[in-house]
Amino acid sequence: MSKYIFITGGVVSSLGKGISGASIGKLLQLHGFKVNMIKFDPYINVDPGTMNPYQHGEVFVTIDGAEADLDLGTYERFLDVYTSKANTNTSGDIYRTVIDRERSGYYNGATVQVIPHITDEIKRRFLALKDKCDISIIEIGGTVGDIEGLPFMEAARQFQLENKKEDIFSIHVTLVPYIAGAHELKTKPTQHSVNKLREIGISPDMIICRTEHHLDKSLKKKIALFCNVREDCVVDAMDAHSIYYIPEAFYNQKVDTIVMEKLKIKPKMKFDKAWFVKIKSFGKFSVVVKVAVVGKYADLKDAYKSIDESLNIAAAALKAKAEINYLDAENKGLLGKLKDYDAILVPGGFGNRGVEGKIRAITDARENKIPFLGICLGMQCSVIEVARNLANLKDANSMEFCEATKHPVIKILDEQKNVKYVGGTMRLGSYKSQLRKNTLAHKLYKSLEIEERHRHRYEVNPEFVELLKKVGLYISAYHKDVLPEIIEMKNHPFFIGVQFHPEFGSRPMRPHPLFKGFINVALLNKKKQQ
Ligand code: GLN
């Protein structure tokens, strides 16, 4: 069985097409289907790995090492699946494939064109997961009407024509804005957006309306009439307190039944509502834990999307609520602010802006025994901090920030020395590491071997490990006995730095052990102080 659900968006961007798709995917999963999602982004970058987080938010890393859109994180967390290179596509990558083929003579003298060559390649990629799941949900990034999105829409139109009606379900996600002055929800932008889509040749089976207020029956009727869909196929997607409540909101509007009806599929098992119940239970908490995330993109939560999710998930599993504040590492008053927090996290990053602030925050966490979690650059900063302040190597630094430093405690990975292109060339994806017995990391993971995702060019310099050990820094995990993967500090309730990105491994039902341990110690500390 191979069924396809297409998700397009209209009116404005950032409507949560990924969350809508993943919510429907979740419902279908709870009916027993194997579901996965594929993202198509219309920009020319080959992947978002080289993009500034201000442009794109977090770069998500798949286990097989693709640098991808943050929506893949949403797919993984909602569906508890693993995504791969096959789940992420961009115009740049698609054009590159076609142009490489052209250069190799593959097209045998033909003029290579958007239609059919680019659209054929897009259609080929629509099929990427067909043998691995029952239903592929295909999210087309951008907004209908964008010039750069046209080849994807055209490919979706052709795909629809070339396949059976019952194999494809098309969903359009739009905005129904509320005009406060008139106390009215407006359907006109949705009408225009659907018209635009129909001009291209795609008539949606369902319209998901993002709205701040519930759509009443008459409004649904109006949208249905003007947009050529059944009234029950106009779905109210009101802003929710938690994104994980959306599957239930869709279930209550029978979205899953409508989709299965058109796709002519029957549930494979009795619908399991336990997921809804468990998700709801996360909303109940008795204590708040305040976490400071000290980074470069303090005003852009999306830059740290998976970290945010991981902290929330871990806190919820411990019947607590994480109050997360993103503090600018460059802010002069940073240290004064840190006093109010139960835990400090320094996330990954590139470039030296804010690094000194991050190091100061780590000194604060270390000296005042505040639980600390350093991720990738955050871990590297903690090694610099310990080297400077405990091992007395005053100019200790990373070669990323000062190539000439006398004490390069963080050095470039050997495999990275001759890398010329910046895109897609880091140490990327899942690697195994072996944990040392009786360390905090071992206690938390409850395993001696772990596999986590990486995205970096630098590493802890093994030449300094013995010296750092003497001042209390311990390497609690290595990759193949050579590459330090986890560091921890003795005589501290929770001081852990990891070279990898544990945040990509959190799931609502399976909090990541490092995040859970981190929040747990913060809660215990808090209790002690009360
Ligand atoms: N800039 C550092 C490196 O390349 C850390 C990368 C990261 O935090 N993802 O090693």
Side-chain angles (χ1 to χ4, degrees):
M1 180 179 97
S2 290
K3 304 282 177 179
Y4 302 89
I5 299 177
F6 283 87
I7 315 258
T8 54
V11 185
V12 292
S13 58
S14 307
L15 281 177
K17 293 192 290 290
I19 294 168
S20 297
S23 297
I24 294 173
K26 187 78 232 170
L27 294 180
L28 294 167
Q29 228 181 28
L30 296 175
H31 281 295
F33 297 104
K34 272 180 107 175
V35 185
N36 208 328
M37 293 187 67
I38 313 179
K39 179 85 196 264
F40 285 83
D41 275 309
Y43 50 73
I44 306 292
N45 303 61
V46 171
D47 61 45
T50 55
M51 278 158 125
N52 185 320
Y54 279 120
Q55 298 273 319
H56 193 272
E58 161 187 285
V59 174
F60 189 81
V61 182
T62 63
I63 45 177
D64 62 348
E67 294 177 279
D69 187 86
L70 55 75
D71 268 323
L72 267 72
T74 305
Y75 306 164
E76 290 208 2
R77 286 185 289 270
F78 265 82
L79 303 176
D80 199 357
V81 291
Y82 290 99
T83 55
S84 68
K85 288 185 176 149
N87 298 69
T88 171
N89 303 276
T90 68
S91 288
D93 184 26
I94 288 161
Y95 271 82
R96 188 162 79 166
T97 304
V98 172
I99 291 169
D100 281 350
R101 265 192 217 133
E102 184 274 333
R103 293 287 83 184
S104 73
Y106 177 90
Y107 293 111
N108 207 14
T111 306
V112 180
Q113 293 176 304
V114 174
I115 306 172
H117 303 99
I118 296 295
T119 46
D120 278 354
E121 178 58 19
I122 297 172
K123 284 190 289 178
R124 193 183 66 79
R125 292 174 184 227
F126 286 164
L127 303 174
L129 303 175
K130 109 178 193 306
D131 299 325
K132 295 200 175 102
C133 56
D134 303 322
I135 303 165
S136 300
I137 303 182
I138 295 163
E139 180 189 348
I140 299 182
T143 308
V144 61
D146 294 347
I147 292 175
E148 55 182 16
L150 277 172
F152 297 95
M153 301 292 179
E154 168 60 15
R157 182 196 68 78
Q158 293 174 16
F159 192 79
Q160 203 174 275
L161 198 72
E162 291 158 6
N163 286 279
K164 289 195 202 124
K165 270 201 171 57
E166 71 234 41
D167 287 346
I168 292 162
F169 195 88
S170 167
I171 299 175
H172 192 54
V173 183
T174 72
L175 178 73
V176 178
Y178 179 71
I179 307 295
H183 299 294
E184 239 186 308
L185 285 166
K186 292 292 186 188
T187 66
K188 194 69 83 189
T190 297
Q191 295 178 36
H192 281 302
S193 177
V194 172
N195 273 346
K196 194 90 214 151
L197 198 63
R198 289 171 66 197
E199 265 171 34
I200 297 167
I202 299 173
S203 206
D205 296 299
M206 177 176 277
I207 299 171
I208 294 185
C209 304
R210 286 298 310 277
T211 163
E212 285 171 50
H213 297 271
H214 274 301
L215 304 180
D216 61 22
K217 209 171 156 30
S218 69
L219 221 68
K220 281 192 172 184
K221 200 169 175 173
K222 188 171 173 189
I223 295 173
L225 182 65
F226 281 94
C227 299
N228 197 37
V229 294
R230 262 167 35 190
E231 208 178 306
D232 60 346
C233 294
V234 178
V235 177
D236 178 333
M238 209 174 93
D239 296 348
H241 191 62
S242 155
I243 54 170
Y244 298 109
Y245 295 164
I246 296 172
E248 188 170 5
F250 285 0
Y251 179 79
N252 292 337
Q253 296 177 72
K254 303 199 166 33
V255 170
D256 49 334
T257 314
I258 296 167
V259 172
M260 288 190 293
E261 195 185 284
K262 158 99 201 284
L263 294 178
K264 295 206 168 114
I265 48 177
K266 295 248 174 320
K268 285 190 169 176
M269 63 181 203
K270 192 171 168 309
F271 190 80
D272 184 7
K273 278 194 183 170
W275 196 86
F276 296 161
V277 177
K278 184 99 185 165
I279 284 291
K280 279 233 178 82
S281 75
F282 290 158
K284 300 185 183 92
F285 57 89
S286 49
V287 51
V288 173
V289 56
K290 284 191 77 176
V291 186
V293 176
V294 182
K296 242 181 6 179
Y297 305 103
D299 44 359
L300 185 78
K301 212 168 115 181
D302 264 1
Y304 304 117
K305 179 92 187 127
S306 293
I307 288 181
D308 201 78
E309 286 277 333
S310 297
L311 291 169
N312 283 322
I313 288 171
L318 294 161
K319 305 246 166 300
K321 181 178 168 50
E323 191 185 307
I324 309 161
N325 286 313
Y326 293 86
L327 306 182
D328 180 1
E330 286 193 301
N331 188 318
K332 297 249 177 325
L334 176 68
L335 285 190
K337 288 195 181 125
L338 288 176
K339 287 188 189 58
D340 304 332
Y341 290 90
D342 305 312
I344 296 174
L345 187 150
V346 178
F350 296 85
N352 66 355
R353 190 162 67 77
V355 161
E356 294 304 320
K358 292 175 191 176
I359 293 173
R360 274 195 298 277
I362 296 168
T363 311
D364 199 55
R366 184 178 53 75
E367 290 180 348
N368 297 312
K369 308 246 186 277
I370 304 169
F372 164 75
L373 180 59
I375 295 179
C376 209
L377 180 63
M379 175 261 215
Q380 297 174 354
C381 286
S382 70
V383 173
I384 300 171
E385 195 279 331
V386 171
R388 284 187 192 172
N389 299 327
L390 293 182
N392 217 17
L393 307 176
K394 292 295 171 218
D395 68 343
N397 215 332
S398 163
M399 285 170 77
E400 183 179 1
F401 315 127
C402 178
E403 261 199 271
T405 173
K406 266 207 292 212
H407 299 112
V409 288
I410 305 295
K411 73 165 183 70
I412 191 142
L413 284 157
D414 287 340
E415 69 199 42
Q416 290 288 322
K417 281 182 184 151
N418 298 318
V419 165
K420 287 198 175 62
Y421 282 122
V422 291
T425 53
M426 277 183 253
R427 179 174 184 246
L428 287 167
S430 266
Y431 286 91
K432 285 193 175 128
S433 20
Q434 288 72 39
L435 271 56
R436 298 294 182 255
K437 270 194 186 138
N438 303 323
T439 54
L440 178 55
H442 178 212
K443 204 175 114 198
L444 295 170
Y445 276 104
K446 296 188 177 69
S447 168
L448 283 173
E449 187 168 83
I450 58 165
E451 209 168 337
E452 294 278 12
R453 301 179 216 194
H454 295 70
R455 182 173 183 247
H456 64 117
R457 292 190 202 283
Y458 295 83
E459 62 163 326
V460 176
N461 190 343
E463 284 172 30
F464 291 89
V465 166
E466 276 313 305
L467 180 67
L468 295 172
K469 210 170 159 183
K470 287 195 185 110
V471 296
L473 186 133
Y474 191 75
I475 310 284
S476 46
Y478 278 93
H479 171 68
K480 292 190 174 160
D481 281 331
V482 284
L483 211 148
E485 293 275 12
I486 307 182
I487 63 106
E488 32 191 274
M489 280 301 285
K490 284 194 188 125
N491 305 322
H492 192 286
F494 193 108
F495 190 104
I496 285 201
V498 289
Q499 184 56 79
F500 47 79
H501 290 273
E503 69 270 28
F504 300 138
S506 297
R507 304 284 193 265
M509 302 298 162
R510 282 190 294 128
H512 190 285
L514 284 182
F515 281 92
K516 195 168 170 194
F518 177 52
I519 297 294
N520 191 33
V521 174
L523 288 168
L524 291 174
N525 267 8
K526 206 177 157 112
K527 231 185 202 164
K528 266 191 226 152
Q529 283 156 17
Q530 276 163 3

